[in-house]
Amino acid sequence: AQSVAQPEDQVNVAEGNPLTVKCTYSVSGNPYLFWYVQYPNRGLQFLLKYITGDNLVKGSYGFEAEFNKSQTSFHLKKPSALVSDSALYFCAVRDRNRGSTLGRLYFGRGTQLTVWP
Amino acid sequence: NAGVTQTPKFQVLKTGQSMTLQCAQDMNHEYMSWYRQDPGMGLRLIHYSVGAGITDQGEVPNGYNVSRSTTEDFPLRLLSAAPSQTSVYFCASSSAPKETQYFGPGTRLLVL
C-alpha cells in the first residue's frame, strides 16, 4: 500500500539557520513527489515537485528538496530559515504506474515548522 | 483567475441533517478530489474523480457521496451528518497526475 511518512510532528529552528523537514514514502514503482505548505486558516499551497531528472528540485520561497530513490526519501530543505516560513508542511506522493488510482494523492500527516527570531 | 472555489466557507449542522459542499474549478482540470483535514491526521482522501462521470472512493468515503456531471463541478454530499464529520474540507484539482494539485480555501463544518 502507498504511504507517506513525516517522522517529525514539529521542527523548530532559529532564523538564519538551515532547516530540513523529512519525508519518506512507500510506493510501488516511481512516484511523483510533492511538497505543500499551509498557513493558518488557509488552503494548501504548492511548493515544489519531483517528476523526473535532477534529484535536487528547487521550488518557491527558496525551498528545495532532494529525491533519494535508494532511501525512498524526499526531504525539504532551505539554507536559511525565515520567521515567515513558520507553517504546516505536507509531503505528498502520487503513483504514476497505477491505472485507476492515478488520481490519488497520498499525504503525510504534516510537520509544523516554527522559526524563532 | 478564480481557480478552485468552495462554498460555503463555514457551516453548522445538526446531527442527521444533510447538505452539499460545493466545489468548482475553472481550469478545465480532469482530476478532482475531496479531502478532510483533522488535527494530527493530515489530509485524508474522501473521494476523487479522474473525469466527468468517473468517481472513486478514497480512504474515508463512508457517509459521503459525490458525482461529477461536468468537468467544472465536484459536489460532496453528506447524507446524514454525524459529529465525527466535524472537520475542514478541501477540494482540489489538477490537469494530470504529474501536475500540481490546486486547493480551494476550504469549508469548516461543525456538526452538533
Side-chain angles (χ1 to χ4, degrees):
Chain A
Q2 287 78 3
S3 66
V4 180
Q6 294 181 239
E8 301 158 316
D9 292 334
Q10 289 193 347
V11 170
N12 300 308
V13 298
E15 188 172 35
N17 283 0
L19 69 87
T20 299
V21 182
K22 297 179 180 178
C23 172
T24 59
Y25 64 90
S26 174
V27 171
S28 57
N30 296 319
Y32 300 123
L33 296 159
F34 303 82
W35 275 102
Y36 289 84
V37 60
Q38 184 181 32
Y39 297 99
N41 301 315
R42 302 287 296 275
L44 275 70
Q45 298 177 28
F46 169 76
L47 272 182
L48 52 79
K49 64 182 177 182
Y50 172 81
I51 304 300
T52 188
D54 194 349
N55 290 345
L56 185 63
V57 178
K58 294 187 182 296
S60 307
Y61 313 120
F63 283 93
E64 57 188 27
E66 186 169 10
F67 171 58
N68 188 317
K69 186 174 182 178
S70 63
Q71 298 185 2
T72 61
S73 66
F74 190 55
H75 301 331
L76 181 70
K77 300 180 180 183
K78 188 173 182 181
S80 179
L82 300 172
V83 172
S84 58
D85 293 330
S86 298
L88 186 59
Y89 290 81
F90 289 97
C91 180
V93 60
R94 201 173 231 166
D95 187 346
R96 70 176 77 193
N97 293 324
R98 287 183 172 268
S100 63
T101 61
L102 272 180
R104 298 187 64 162
L105 190 63
Y106 298 89
F107 281 87
R109 294 191 171 189
T111 298
Q112 180 66 48
L113 172 67
T114 301
V115 182
W116 39 278
Chain B
N1 290 337
V4 180
T5 59
Q6 292 183 239
T7 56
K9 291 185 178 180
F10 304 96
Q11 185 69 50
V12 179
L13 291 178
K14 294 181 180 179
T15 296
Q17 287 184 316
S18 63
M19 78 160 294
T20 298
L21 279 63
Q22 301 292 344
C23 174
Q25 51 91 9
D26 61 358
M27 297 172 282
N28 201 33
H29 285 171
E30 292 294 328
Y31 295 82
M32 295 187 74
S33 303
W34 275 103
Y35 298 89
R36 59 178 289 174
Q37 183 178 23
D38 303 290
M41 300 294 290
L43 273 76
R44 292 183 291 172
L45 182 66
I46 305 172
H47 286 283
Y48 67 102
S49 170
V50 298
I54 306 170
T55 63
D56 205 348
Q57 296 180 351
E59 302 169 70
V60 288
N62 292 339
Y64 307 95
N65 275 358
V66 292
S67 60
R68 185 95 180 271
S69 57
T70 67
T71 299
E72 295 77 19
D73 300 300
F74 191 43
L76 178 71
R77 297 181 186 85
L78 279 69
L79 308 174
S80 178
S84 61
Q85 293 179 305
T86 293
S87 187
V88 181
Y89 291 85
F90 289 101
C91 179
S93 74
S94 66
S95 59
K98 68 178 182 179
E99 298 302 331
T100 301
Q101 197 164 84
Y102 293 90
F103 284 79
T107 294
R108 291 184 176 273
L109 176 67
L110 174 62
V111 183
L112 301 174

